[in-house]
């Protein structure tokens, strides 16, 4: 895996989510389904709280804000420590998340700075596939989790069972350039490393479908927020945008929310993986 020796962060993630990309990322990325947040809460040893939570790779705080706004999970949070390696992402996080229970600090999967056995939950939203060393990261997660604490991995993925979404994904996925995208399933090697067997029980997965309202510009922004698209030369990026416009004009299988306003459904799946510490 191509990573920066200085930071331990994949080079495409480091540059593609670097300065100047974070506002677009925050605007374009979808939130997370409420039912999955309820499910995450149910996995905790003490679901009624108070809960200490570490969020690794917290980005601009999209998941954090959904968690804090959730009617049952948000109120039982005692403290949430967000860990994010990108300075630009941290700045956007701090501008968007205002809650005295929440902090956002520099760190990585392998270096959280949290005390031993502090966390009830360690959550990684839309980021674990970038982890450069699952074994080392799991050792750190096991260290900071309380006995019977739970590590949570969660991802949104555009649902290509709808024709226009499949065409959009086919257009942009050819630019992935061997990056370890979630859809490829390389992250499942997590369950094969020594620390997993030593420290965690069998993983439990929960998959749901949901949709968010979108527009043509919303879909294009969503694509352009992807790390491997942000680093494309302008000529190549403009070519992709024109292809996307043609696909969206066709709109095969589109379900309208408000046709007069150009708003339709963007279907997604959401996967939660719960890994309880032994």
């Amino acid at each position: 895996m191509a990573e920066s020796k200085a930071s331990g962060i994949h080079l495409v993630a480091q540059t593609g989510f670097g300065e100047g990309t974070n506002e677009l990322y925050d605007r374009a990325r979808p939130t997370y389904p409420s039912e999955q947040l309820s499910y995450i809460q149910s996995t905790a040893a003490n679901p009624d709280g108070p809960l200490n939570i570490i969020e690794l790779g917290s980005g601009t705080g999209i998941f954090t804000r959904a968690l804090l706004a959730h009617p049952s999970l948000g109120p039982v949070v005692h403290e949430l420590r967000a860990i994010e390696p990108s300075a630009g992402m941290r700045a956007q996080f701090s501008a968007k998340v205002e809650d005295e229970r929440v902090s956002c600090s520099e760190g990585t999967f392998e270096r959280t700075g949290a005390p031993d056995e502090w966390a009830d939950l360690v959550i990684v939203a839309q980021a674990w596939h970038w982890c450069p060393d699952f074994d080392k990261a799991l050792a750190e997660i096991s260290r900071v989790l309380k006995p019977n604490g739970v590590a949570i991995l969660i991802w949104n993925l555009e649902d290509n069972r709808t024709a226009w979404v499949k065409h959009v994904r086919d257009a942009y996925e050819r630019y992935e350039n061997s990056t370890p995208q979630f859809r490829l399933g390389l992250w499942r090697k997590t369950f094969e490393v020594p620390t997993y067997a030593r420290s965690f029980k069998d993983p439990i997965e929960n998959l749901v479908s949901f949709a968010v309202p979108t527009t043509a510009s919303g879909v294009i922004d969503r694509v352009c927020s992807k790390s491997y698209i942000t680093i494309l030369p302008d000529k190549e990026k403009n070519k992709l945008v024109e292809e996307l416009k043609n696909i969206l004009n066709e709109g095969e299988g589109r379900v309208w929310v408000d046709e007069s306003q150009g708003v339709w459904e963007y279907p997604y799946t959401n996967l939660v993986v719960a890994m309880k510490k032994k």
Side-chain angles (χ1 to χ4, degrees):
M1 184 181 293
E3 64 182 88
S4 163
K5 289 189 167 104
S7 67
I9 304 166
H10 195 287
L11 288 172
V12 172
Q14 193 172 5
T15 53
F17 294 139
E19 294 289 344
T21 68
N22 311 124
E23 187 176 335
L24 172 63
Y25 183 99
D26 192 74
R27 181 177 75 246
R29 295 296 178 111
T31 188
Y32 295 82
S34 180
E35 64 188 290
Q36 290 290 63
L37 290 161
S38 297
Y39 175 74
I40 290 169
Q41 183 177 1
S42 75
T43 67
N46 55 330
D48 295 329
L51 296 175
N52 285 341
I53 298 174
I54 294 173
E55 186 185 349
L56 297 179
S58 57
T60 63
I62 296 173
F63 178 83
T64 319
R65 300 194 301 267
L67 186 156
L68 295 171
H70 189 268
S72 63
L73 181 52
V76 300
V77 174
H78 176 255
E79 185 178 349
L80 189 153
R81 297 187 180 190
I83 308 297
E84 170 56 46
S86 163
M89 290 279 194
R90 291 197 304 275
Q92 190 75 15
F93 183 106
S94 297
K96 293 284 188 174
V97 180
E98 295 183 8
D99 192 305
E100 61 184 10
R101 300 170 295 172
V102 178
S103 61
C104 186
S105 304
E106 190 276 334
T108 67
F109 292 117
E110 300 170 19
R111 181 174 53 82
T112 67
D116 291 353
E117 298 187 353
W118 180 84
D120 299 285
L121 294 171
V122 173
I123 302 174
V124 188
Q126 213 73 23
W128 185 251
H129 54 286
W130 290 113
C131 180
D133 190 318
F134 297 134
D135 200 54
K136 289 180 180 178
L138 286 174
E140 175 68 353
I141 290 171
S142 177
R143 180 187 71 77
V144 301
L145 275 173
K146 295 176 182 178
N148 294 314
V150 181
I152 296 286
L153 312 178
I154 179 170
W155 287 275
N156 289 324
L157 180 65
E158 300 92 326
D159 190 344
N160 62 6
R161 291 174 295 183
T162 298
W164 73 264
V165 180
K166 181 181 186 304
H167 299 325
V168 166
R169 284 184 53 179
D170 287 346
Y172 69 69
E173 285 174 354
R174 67 174 180 265
Y175 294 100
E176 287 178 349
N177 194 26
S178 301
T179 52
Q181 298 301 308
F182 161 68
R183 71 177 186 89
L184 300 175
L186 302 175
W187 58 272
R188 290 189 177 277
K189 293 185 181 297
T190 298
F191 312 129
E192 301 173 9
V193 299
T195 297
Y196 193 92
R198 183 167 58 247
S199 302
F200 293 90
K201 298 179 181 179
D202 290 343
I204 300 173
E205 300 187 12
N206 196 59
L207 181 70
V208 303
S209 298
F210 72 110
V212 297
T214 195
T215 61
S217 61
V219 174
I220 291 169
D221 280 352
R222 175 73 179 91
V223 172
C224 290
S225 75
K226 294 178 181 292
S227 56
Y228 53 89
I229 301 300
T230 67
I231 61 176
L232 285 177
D234 286 344
K235 183 178 179 180
E236 198 67 27
K237 192 183 299 183
N238 292 337
K239 178 182 174 184
L240 172 61
V241 167
E242 288 306 309
E243 183 178 359
L244 293 173
K245 287 178 179 177
N246 291 334
I247 292 168
L248 297 175
N249 284 337
E250 184 71 23
E252 185 181 352
R254 173 165 42 209
V255 176
W256 288 105
V257 174
D258 186 338
E259 189 169 359
S260 67
Q261 298 297 313
V263 179
W264 68 87
E265 289 186 355
Y266 204 149
Y268 282 85
T269 59
N270 179 276
L271 178 67
V272 168
V273 182
M275 309 177 295
K276 180 164 282 194
K277 182 178 174 180
K278 289 181 177 176

